[in-house]
Amino acid sequence: MRLDQSSPVFRRTIVPWYDSETACLLTLIFLFLVFLFGMAGISVANEIEEYREHLWVPVLMVVMSAGVIVSITIRLINRYLIYRSERRES
């Protein structure tokens, strides 16, 4: 991440817009909906015999969305802990 060069004393990291808290939270909401959609797809594919050969598609959706959800959640927790420790020091 780049440093803010405008103030030589207080240098804060510049967070890109796609890595901001708002963008991360919106992504989490969207991925949670994808996760639920994938779970519904798994349920339907298990109920209907002809769809069982395509069960890998909703499973892949669930696994990939869960992986990104975990990744973004860890990133937000780390960011919060760093912010919290910086506030205690000052």
Side-chain angles (χ1 to χ4, degrees), residues 23-62:
C24 287
L25 292 175
L26 289 174
T27 304
L28 282 176
I29 292 169
F30 174 73
L31 287 174
F32 181 70
L33 294 174
V34 170
F35 183 84
L36 292 178
F37 184 71
M39 292 301 289
I42 290 172
S43 174
V44 169
N46 279 329
E47 289 177 6
I48 301 174
E49 186 74 29
E50 297 87 29
Y51 294 161
R52 288 215 177 127
E53 65 187 37
H54 302 291
L55 185 63
W56 65 272
V57 175
V59 169
L60 186 64
M61 286 175 59
V62 167

Side-chain angles (χ1 to χ4, degrees), residues 4-23:
D4 184 9
Q5 299 296 330
S6 62
S7 175
V9 178
F10 302 106
R11 294 191 178 205
R12 298 182 328 169
T13 56
I14 299 173
V15 179
W17 67 268
Y18 53 83
D19 196 28
S20 66
E21 288 184 27
T22 305

